[in-house]
Protein backbone atom coordinates (compact mmCIF):
# COMPACT_ATOMS: atom_id res chain seq x y z
CA UNK A 1 0.00 0.00 0.00
CA UNK A 2 1.31 3.48 -0.91
CA UNK A 3 1.90 6.06 1.78
CA UNK A 4 -0.24 9.19 1.84
CA UNK A 5 2.83 11.34 1.14
CA UNK A 6 3.75 9.30 -1.94
CA UNK A 7 0.15 9.46 -3.21
CA UNK A 8 0.02 13.22 -2.66
CA UNK A 9 3.31 13.73 -4.52
CA UNK A 10 2.19 11.44 -7.33
CA UNK A 11 -0.99 13.49 -7.76
CA UNK A 12 0.46 16.97 -7.28
CA UNK A 13 3.64 16.68 -9.37
CA UNK A 14 1.84 16.23 -12.73
CA UNK A 15 -0.39 19.20 -11.92
CA UNK A 16 2.63 21.38 -11.19
CA UNK A 17 4.32 20.26 -14.39
CA UNK A 18 1.19 20.94 -16.42
CA UNK A 19 0.85 24.38 -14.84
CA UNK A 20 4.46 25.22 -15.75
CA UNK A 21 3.95 23.94 -19.30
CA UNK A 22 0.88 26.15 -19.54
CA UNK A 23 2.89 29.18 -18.36
CA UNK A 24 5.59 28.53 -20.96
CA UNK A 25 2.96 27.98 -23.65
CA UNK A 26 1.33 31.31 -22.78
CA UNK A 27 4.69 33.08 -22.86
CA UNK A 28 5.54 31.33 -26.08
CA UNK A 29 2.66 32.92 -27.93
CA UNK A 30 1.66 29.59 -29.41
CA UNK A 31 -1.24 29.84 -31.78
CA UNK A 32 0.27 32.61 -33.92
CA UNK A 33 0.29 31.28 -37.46
CA UNK A 34 3.43 31.55 -39.55
CA UNK A 35 3.38 34.56 -41.83
CA UNK A 36 6.38 34.12 -44.17
CA UNK A 37 5.97 37.66 -45.50
CA UNK A 38 6.90 39.15 -42.12
CA UNK A 39 8.63 36.32 -40.19
CA UNK A 40 12.21 36.92 -39.05
CA UNK A 41 14.92 35.46 -36.84
CA UNK A 42 16.53 36.94 -33.73
CA UNK A 43 20.12 36.07 -32.75
CA UNK A 44 20.80 35.49 -29.05
CA UNK A 45 24.15 36.22 -27.39
CA UNK A 46 24.41 35.11 -23.78
CA UNK A 47 27.14 36.14 -21.32
CA UNK A 48 28.67 33.30 -19.30
CA UNK A 49 27.02 34.70 -16.14
CA UNK A 50 23.58 34.75 -17.77
CA UNK A 51 24.06 31.23 -19.15
CA UNK A 52 25.03 30.01 -15.67
CA UNK A 53 21.97 31.66 -14.13
CA UNK A 54 19.67 30.03 -16.69
CA UNK A 55 21.29 26.65 -16.09
CA UNK A 56 21.00 26.97 -12.30
CA UNK A 57 17.39 28.17 -12.23
CA UNK A 58 15.78 26.35 -15.16
CA UNK A 59 14.35 29.63 -16.44
CA UNK A 60 12.89 30.12 -19.90
CA UNK A 61 14.04 32.86 -22.26
CA UNK A 62 11.19 34.87 -23.77
CA UNK A 63 11.71 36.93 -26.91
CA UNK A 64 9.00 39.57 -27.13
CA UNK A 65 8.22 41.54 -30.30
CA UNK A 66 5.91 44.56 -30.43
CA UNK A 67 4.79 45.62 -33.91
CA UNK A 68 3.84 49.25 -34.45
CA UNK A 69 3.88 52.09 -36.93
CA UNK A 70 3.50 55.85 -37.14
CA UNK A 71 -0.03 57.04 -37.88
CA UNK A 72 -1.23 58.57 -41.08
CA UNK A 73 -2.93 61.93 -40.75
CA UNK A 74 -6.34 60.21 -40.90
CA UNK A 75 -5.41 57.70 -38.16
CA UNK A 76 -3.90 60.08 -35.58
CA UNK A 77 -6.89 59.62 -33.28
CA UNK A 78 -6.09 55.88 -33.11
CA UNK A 79 -2.52 56.44 -31.91
CA UNK A 80 -1.42 55.47 -28.40
CA UNK A 81 0.30 57.73 -25.86
CA UNK A 82 3.58 57.33 -27.75
CA UNK A 83 1.91 58.59 -30.96
CA UNK A 84 2.12 55.12 -32.51
CA UNK A 85 -0.37 52.65 -33.92
CA UNK A 86 -0.15 49.33 -32.08
CA UNK A 87 -0.08 46.46 -34.57
CA UNK A 88 0.18 43.52 -32.20
CA UNK A 89 2.64 41.57 -30.16
CA UNK A 90 4.30 38.20 -30.31
CA UNK A 91 6.20 36.21 -27.68
CA UNK A 92 8.26 33.09 -28.19
CA UNK A 93 9.56 31.13 -25.20
CA UNK A 94 12.67 29.01 -25.76
CA UNK A 95 15.33 27.15 -23.86
CA UNK A 96 18.11 29.66 -23.14
CA UNK A 97 20.83 27.67 -24.90
CA UNK A 98 19.60 28.56 -28.39
CA UNK A 99 21.56 30.89 -30.64
CA UNK A 100 18.58 31.87 -32.81
CA UNK A 101 14.85 32.37 -32.23
CA UNK A 102 12.32 32.39 -35.07
CA UNK A 103 9.52 34.95 -34.84
CA UNK A 104 6.67 33.62 -37.02
CA UNK A 105 5.06 37.01 -37.67
CA UNK A 106 1.51 35.87 -36.93
CA UNK A 107 1.16 38.47 -34.18
CA UNK A 108 1.20 41.34 -36.69
CA UNK A 109 -2.28 42.79 -37.20
CA UNK A 110 -2.46 43.17 -40.98
CA UNK A 111 -5.69 45.22 -40.76
CA UNK A 112 -3.85 48.07 -39.06
CA UNK A 113 -1.38 48.57 -41.91
CA UNK A 114 -3.65 51.10 -43.61
CA UNK A 115 -3.37 53.29 -40.49
CA UNK A 116 0.41 53.70 -40.67
CA UNK A 117 2.54 55.91 -42.92
CA UNK A 118 3.60 54.04 -46.06
CA UNK A 119 2.70 50.72 -44.40
CA UNK A 120 6.14 50.91 -42.75
CA UNK A 121 6.01 48.46 -39.81
CA UNK A 122 8.40 48.99 -36.91
CA UNK A 123 9.48 46.31 -34.41
CA UNK A 124 10.64 46.53 -30.83
CA UNK A 125 12.34 43.25 -29.86
CA UNK A 126 13.16 42.49 -26.23
CA UNK A 127 14.21 39.43 -24.23
CA UNK A 128 13.87 38.39 -20.59
CA UNK A 129 13.71 35.34 -18.35
CA UNK A 130 10.67 33.80 -16.71
CA UNK A 131 11.03 31.39 -13.82
CA UNK A 132 9.36 28.01 -13.38
CA UNK A 133 8.74 28.63 -9.69
CA UNK A 134 8.05 31.50 -7.32
CA UNK A 135 11.38 33.23 -7.95
CA UNK A 136 11.28 36.67 -9.48
CA UNK A 137 11.12 36.83 -13.29
CA UNK A 138 13.52 38.99 -15.28
CA UNK A 139 16.67 37.76 -13.53
CA UNK A 140 18.29 37.75 -16.96
CA UNK A 141 17.57 40.67 -19.28
CA UNK A 142 18.50 41.26 -22.87
CA UNK A 143 19.27 44.37 -24.84
CA UNK A 144 16.50 45.56 -27.11
CA UNK A 145 16.34 46.17 -30.82
CA UNK A 146 14.17 48.79 -32.49
CA UNK A 147 14.02 49.32 -36.24
CA UNK A 148 11.87 48.76 -39.30
CA UNK A 149 10.58 45.23 -39.83
CA UNK A 150 12.24 45.29 -43.24
CA UNK A 151 15.64 45.73 -41.54
CA UNK A 152 14.97 42.93 -39.03
CA UNK A 153 14.12 40.63 -41.93
CA UNK A 154 17.26 41.54 -43.90
CA UNK A 155 19.70 41.15 -40.98
CA UNK A 156 18.62 39.31 -37.81
CA UNK A 157 18.52 41.53 -34.74
CA UNK A 158 20.97 40.55 -31.99
CA UNK A 159 19.85 40.45 -28.35
CA UNK A 160 22.69 40.42 -25.83
CA UNK A 161 21.55 38.82 -22.59
CA UNK A 162 23.14 39.34 -19.18
CA UNK A 163 22.34 39.57 -15.48
CA UNK A 164 21.18 43.09 -14.53
CA UNK A 165 23.88 45.15 -12.81
CA UNK A 166 21.85 45.59 -9.62
CA UNK A 167 21.67 41.80 -8.95
Amino acid sequence: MMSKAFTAIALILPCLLLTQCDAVEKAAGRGNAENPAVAFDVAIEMTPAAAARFKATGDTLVVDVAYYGYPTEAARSKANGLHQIDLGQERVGVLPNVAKVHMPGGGLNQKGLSDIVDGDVMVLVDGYSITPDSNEDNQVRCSYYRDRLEMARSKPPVLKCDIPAND
Side-chain angles (χ1 to χ4, degrees):
M1 201 160 233
M2 289 191 274
S3 72
K4 287 182 181 179
F6 179 79
T7 304
I9 291 170
L11 293 173
I12 293 172
L13 186 59
C15 292
L16 291 173
L17 291 173
L18 287 173
T19 302
Q20 179 56 31
C21 289
D22 186 47
V24 172
E25 287 292 313
K26 286 179 185 172
R30 303 281 189 248
N32 284 341
E34 176 79 16
N35 183 346
V38 297
F40 64 98
D41 292 330
V42 177
I44 305 296
E45 292 182 3
M46 193 83 54
T47 66
R53 171 79 55 97
F54 271 118
K55 186 175 182 179
T57 61
D59 289 0
T60 299
L61 174 65
V62 175
V63 177
D64 188 339
V65 176
Y67 299 98
Y68 67 97
Y70 298 104
T72 62
E73 192 66 40
R76 289 218 173 162
S77 64
K78 297 179 184 180
N80 63 21
L82 298 172
H83 308 288
Q84 301 167 347
I85 300 291
D86 293 319
L87 296 173
Q89 189 170 8
E90 188 160 48
R91 292 184 185 103
V92 174
V94 296
L95 295 176
N97 59 352
V98 301
K100 180 174 74 169
V101 176
H102 182 69
M103 303 308 295
L108 174 63
N109 174 8
Q110 300 285 326
K111 293 178 184 172
L113 297 179
S114 62
D115 291 332
I116 62 173
V117 175
D118 299 325
D120 197 14
V121 177
M122 300 293 293
V123 293
L124 176 61
V125 185
D126 189 14
Y128 51 88
S129 63
I130 58 170
T131 61
D133 52 28
S134 60
N135 287 328
E136 184 179 330
D137 289 341
N138 225 10
Q139 292 186 24
V140 173
R141 296 185 195 140
C142 303
S143 59
Y144 70 90
Y145 170 90
R146 190 175 111 183
D147 207 333
R148 294 184 347 258
L149 175 60
E150 175 183 313
M151 295 303 295
R153 287 180 45 80
S154 68
K155 181 179 179 194
V158 176
L159 296 185
K160 297 178 185 216
C161 303
D162 200 357
I163 296 171
N166 59 352
D167 282 359

